[in-house]
Amino acid sequence: MRDPQEPFQGLSAAEAAARLLREGANELPRARRRGPARIVLEVLREPMLALLLGAGLVYLALGDTGEALILLAFACLSVAITVVQEARTERVLEALRDLTSPRALVIRDGARQRIAGREVVRGDLLLLAEGDRVPADARLLRAEEVMADESLLTGEAVPVRKRAGEGDAALRPGGEDLPLVFSGSLIVRGTALAEVTATGAQSEIGKIGASLSTLELQTPHLQQQMRRLVLVFAALGGVVSLAVVVLYGLLRGGWLEAALAGIAVGMSMLPEEFPVVLAVFMAMGAWRISQARVLTRRAAAIEALGAASVLCTDKTGTLTENRMTIAALQLPDGETFMAAPGLPPPAAFAALAEAGTAASAPQPFDPMERAFHALAPPPGDGTLARSYALGPDLLAMTQIWDHGTHLHAYAKGAPEAIARLCGLRGAAQAALLARVEALAGAGLRVLGLAEADCVGDLPDSQHGFDFRFLGLAALADPLRPEVPAAVAECHGAGIRVIMITGDYPATARAVAQAAGIADGRVLTGDKLAAMRDDELAAVLPDTTVFARILPEQKLRIVNALKAEGAIVAMTGDGVNDAPSLKAADIGVAMGGRGTDVAREAAAIVLLDDDFGSIVRTVRLGRRINDNLRKAMRFILAVHVPIAGLALMPLLLGLPLLFGPVHVAFLEMVIDPVCSLVFEAEREERDVMRRPPRRANEPLFSAGAMAWATAQGALAFAAVGAVMWFAPGLGLDALQVRGLTFASLVLAIVALILVNRTGSASPIEAMVRPNRAIAAVLPLVAMMLGIVLFWAPAQAMFGFAALPGAMLAIPPLVAVALLLALEALKALRRQPGGI
């Protein structure tokens, strides 16, 4: 029903419905989402998963149902994890849509009505008040003391003043006195009437969402390398297996035995452990980091963060607490009180502190006014009688308080405006501005404060008062207490820290210095916009602070760093950070104060906003990388003797030693060892004292591959010697097979112990706690005992009981191999041993 007191008519219901139908809802258009079926099809094309499924089908075809089911279960688990993770990344635009669709109070048909934010259309008249979330971009028709918090869009913690009037619709968020409000911003003071100019994807926040939807997630470096490695091993295994079948058949004429030998060799070289190890390491890594209240949305990002060489961090809400506090009070004579939490101002500064509170709203919403209230209560008992708002011609506001017997005026605002109200001129004005510059140079926002006695009728403007200058108040967005130590540890780990913020250069530099970020060039957004890509690349190495940066410029910086070969981690918490969080190699969102958009775009979320958690995650990522390389070395090393012993009968004209069932048993030993034991290994001593690995560093360097091959060759020589000399000890073929098999299993145990650490001594490695190995090794011993001494298992494996004296040979082989490998490791040991 029409309100006769409402002077504005607004759109009619019919016209609003027509525009909603024609222009669409006030939300981001839905991107074509990938359903579970499509994601499953994409996952099934991955070579790692294809090999895992292929190995399971081979075992199934051979009748080894147990091993087949284990491998197929791993495959199904891998598919399920991938589907869940991919589906979660598809929710980025959903989170953005929720943020851009708050409830809205509009005028339609001359009446006020509350509607869903998604139903707001271009041309609607919005009624905005303190605490309202703006549902769409709009031009202000009427504004009374309006301040808006646009930090989600600009990164600046300080609210900006708004005024009514005509304005260019192309104006961007940020800056004072714009006649525009933007979707997603928060009204922290005043009331306004605004006409909607853009909704949905056409709004400023919508443009961020549109750029976010065009970004494609890159395959992690580790996964790319693993994929190539698996393809190489698969091809090599296939070629060798085929060669074994052909040669065995041609030389011996027994094609059935040739097929069995070829299958055994193929299985011995089939690297199904690689995808299993990667999946287990990433899943366990996500669980471990969750214990430190860090959520991993894409598990591979943990290892990638361990390799990060550049950390791009936002300022507001990431390095700082995103709340204003009084940092200093300064009297007219220059005497300064440096404020601290819980420390009341001295008596000489009490009047200045009380004036700041009295010049603020009684129930403050603005962060700066909250800071004044936190420092001191208003003077005496009184009621607010009148307010004078700040405007474009005078950047100051005045509150009139009625104390019963008299009225008193308190003013606060820009120092130059307060100087004008107090009549400061000449040398006094110059001295005041010099002190203001000194405080601003420390990254502080400075306000002037004044008071006046009210005599007679109240004047029409603030200029009608006889103000006395009380002093200055400097406000700061405090640095998070854990930040300097975290930044220092990043530097110690060879990680370059760069600040990217929408704040002013002086403030950004001061915060960067306080955080311990290396002193370097400060590059502003306007200068960045004028640079070509090659010019930006030239200044990147010595630039540590980017200030007054727009969201699309953050994305450009991240892409420029990646183009230089850096592995980039990007932290943030606002909507404006989402595109760069998604484009970075590792996006790290602040979960407590961060927006849903930032959390959904990021790969890692810090649930308690503890910047130090980034360092703990880096440490864990490096540990995972180290342990993954240990596991990869072990896998390569252990396959050398297995494949060698499968090939040895062919080359030496001996009976077949190992068949598929023996290799399947060995895989049951290898899989839990390399996926559980090595994952549980503690970090190396120098894990945070060495530089990050290079972005293009292969998972297997030439040195690492040579060392793994040498380990395997030595193990093959030791076990092969047992097989060769065992017949001379009076053992029959079945006993030789059993003795050789037991020697190989214990040689694998020796390879486990050798590869647990690269930097510790053998004795230290032995006593290092590892619950997984404490559980796995007894289990391996029990399984080996069953197949050696239990008659049904002996028959299945083709073994025969061994004489008691022969049982000492496998342990002796393992000990000799361990000592020889530790001696070689001591000769090649390097820091980290990786």
Side-chain angles (χ1 to χ4, degrees), residues 57-309:
L57 292 175
V58 168
Y59 284 124
L60 193 61
L62 292 170
D64 192 340
T65 307
E67 185 70 11
L69 291 178
I70 291 174
L71 290 176
L72 292 175
F74 271 123
C76 294
L77 180 61
S78 177
V79 171
I81 291 174
T82 304
V83 170
V84 170
Q85 289 180 338
E86 291 291 335
R88 290 178 69 185
T89 62
E90 292 294 315
R91 299 204 329 255
V92 173
L93 294 181
E94 292 292 337
L96 192 56
R97 184 176 296 110
D98 292 341
L99 182 61
T100 56
S101 188
R103 301 285 293 176
L105 183 62
V106 299
I107 300 174
R108 288 184 180 173
D109 291 319
R112 302 184 182 196
Q113 52 184 287
R114 182 91 45 188
I115 63 174
R118 68 182 309 274
E119 298 176 5
V120 172
V121 298
R122 184 174 52 83
D124 259 329
L125 296 182
L126 298 173
L127 290 165
L128 300 171
E130 185 175 296
D132 285 348
R133 181 75 67 179
V134 180
D137 290 1
R139 179 173 61 87
L140 292 172
L141 304 177
R142 187 177 65 198
E144 299 177 2
E145 303 182 38
V146 175
M147 301 285 287
D149 178 357
E150 297 179 345
S151 61
L152 291 181
L153 296 166
T154 65
E156 294 187 41
V158 180
V160 292
R161 183 179 58 252
K162 299 291 182 178
R163 64 175 177 81
E166 296 295 328
D168 184 359
L171 291 174
R172 305 295 300 277
E176 302 283 354
D177 296 327
L178 292 184
L180 303 174
V181 289
F182 299 94
S183 178
S185 60
L186 184 68
I187 303 300
V188 298
R189 166 178 287 187
T191 59
L193 176 70
E195 181 182 3
V196 174
T197 58
T199 62
Q202 302 305 313
S203 65
E204 288 298 318
I205 198 172
K207 292 174 184 176
I208 294 176
S211 67
L212 190 64
S213 66
T214 62
L215 295 175
E216 293 293 335
L217 290 173
Q218 292 186 349
T219 303
H221 295 275
L222 177 64
Q223 190 173 339
Q224 295 175 16
Q225 294 184 41
M226 185 72 79
R227 185 179 299 169
R228 290 192 295 267
L229 191 63
V230 167
L231 288 174
V232 170
F233 269 77
L236 180 61
V239 170
V240 173
S241 180
L242 182 61
V244 166
V245 173
V246 173
L247 290 175
Y248 201 106
L250 292 175
L251 294 176
R252 301 194 180 187
W255 289 100
L256 180 58
E257 289 187 348
L260 291 174
I263 291 173
V265 170
M267 290 173 60
S268 69
M269 300 187 68
L270 191 67
E272 77 270 15
E273 299 97 347
F274 285 156
V276 172
V277 164
L278 182 60
V280 170
F281 270 56
M282 296 302 103
M284 290 298 295
W287 175 80
R288 290 184 188 281
I289 197 63
S290 70
Q291 306 305 299
R293 294 190 52 75
V294 178
L295 172 66
T296 305
R297 300 192 62 255
R298 289 188 289 276
I302 299 177
E303 188 278 337
L305 187 57
S309 57

Side-chain angles (χ1 to χ4, degrees), residues 492-494 622 689-693:
R622 292 191 173 191
R689 298 197 301 272
R690 47 180 147 100
R693 62 182 178 89

Side-chain angles (χ1 to χ4, degrees), residues 714-729:
L714 196 57
F716 169 60
V719 180
V722 172
M723 185 184 72
W724 180 258
F725 291 108
L729 300 177

Side-chain angles (χ1 to χ4, degrees), residues 268-606:
S268 69
M269 300 187 68
L270 191 67
E272 77 270 15
E273 299 97 347
F274 285 156
V276 172
V277 164
L278 182 60
V280 170
F281 270 56
M282 296 302 103
M284 290 298 295
W287 175 80
R288 290 184 188 281
I289 197 63
S290 70
Q291 306 305 299
R293 294 190 52 75
V294 178
L295 172 66
T296 305
R297 300 192 62 255
R298 289 188 289 276
I302 299 177
E303 188 278 337
L305 187 57
S309 57
V310 176
L311 173 58
C312 297
T313 175
D314 188 26
K315 178 185 75 69
T316 304
T318 305
L319 294 178
T320 66
E321 297 179 358
N322 199 22
R323 64 179 179 87
M324 302 299 291
T325 59
I326 304 297
L329 297 175
Q330 190 176 88
L331 299 177
D333 61 3
E335 183 181 356
T336 303
F337 163 66
M338 302 305 296
L343 180 64
F349 294 86
L352 179 61
E354 292 172 354
T357 304
S360 303
Q363 285 78 39
F365 199 82
D366 183 297
M368 289 188 295
E369 296 192 340
R370 286 182 176 180
F372 280 111
H373 275 263
L375 183 67
D381 296 326
T383 58
L384 183 63
R386 181 175 175 180
S387 297
Y388 293 83
L390 76 171
D393 56 334
L394 183 67
L395 302 181
M397 62 174 295
T398 298
Q399 302 274 64
I400 309 300
W401 286 81
D402 185 352
H403 296 287
T405 58
H406 67 285
L407 299 177
H408 206 78
Y410 300 91
K412 77 174 190 302
E416 57 272 21
I418 296 297
R420 286 168 52 195
L421 289 177
C422 295
L424 300 181
R425 300 288 187 273
Q429 185 180 25
L432 171 63
L433 295 180
R435 292 199 298 272
V436 170
E437 286 295 323
L439 291 171
L444 304 176
R445 183 178 178 91
V446 185
L447 297 177
L449 296 167
E451 65 175 353
D453 297 319
C454 299
V455 180
D457 295 333
L458 295 177
D460 294 331
S461 72
Q462 299 177 74
H463 293 282
F465 293 98
D466 185 16
F467 280 109
R468 298 181 298 277
F469 181 64
L470 293 177
L472 301 172
L475 297 97
D477 185 4
L479 197 69
R480 292 181 181 274
E482 71 275 5
V483 165
V487 170
E489 193 162 1
C490 285
H491 289 158
I495 301 172
R496 181 183 173 204
V497 181
I498 296 175
M499 177 195 289
I500 304 177
T501 179
D503 219 329
Y504 292 97
T507 303
R509 180 186 288 276
V511 172
Q513 290 175 341
I517 296 175
D519 192 17
R521 181 196 302 265
V522 177
L523 186 64
T524 58
D526 55 349
K527 293 181 180 178
L528 174 63
M531 287 182 171
R532 301 188 307 271
D533 288 345
D534 59 332
E535 293 173 330
L536 175 58
V539 302
L540 272 179
D542 62 345
T543 302
T544 56
V545 175
F546 291 87
R548 302 299 286 169
I549 297 297
L550 298 174
E552 60 269 23
Q553 291 176 325
K554 291 186 178 185
L555 183 59
R556 185 183 175 195
I557 294 167
V558 169
N559 288 333
L561 289 166
K562 290 170 66 176
E564 294 296 313
I567 297 181
V568 182
M570 168 73 189
T571 72
D573 63 350
V575 174
N576 61 311
D577 296 322
S580 49
L581 285 173
K582 189 174 180 183
D585 294 290
I586 315 102
V588 183
M590 313 304 279
R593 302 186 65 87
T595 63
D596 288 342
V597 183
R599 288 192 289 267
E600 291 295 327
I604 293 173
V605 180
L606 310 182

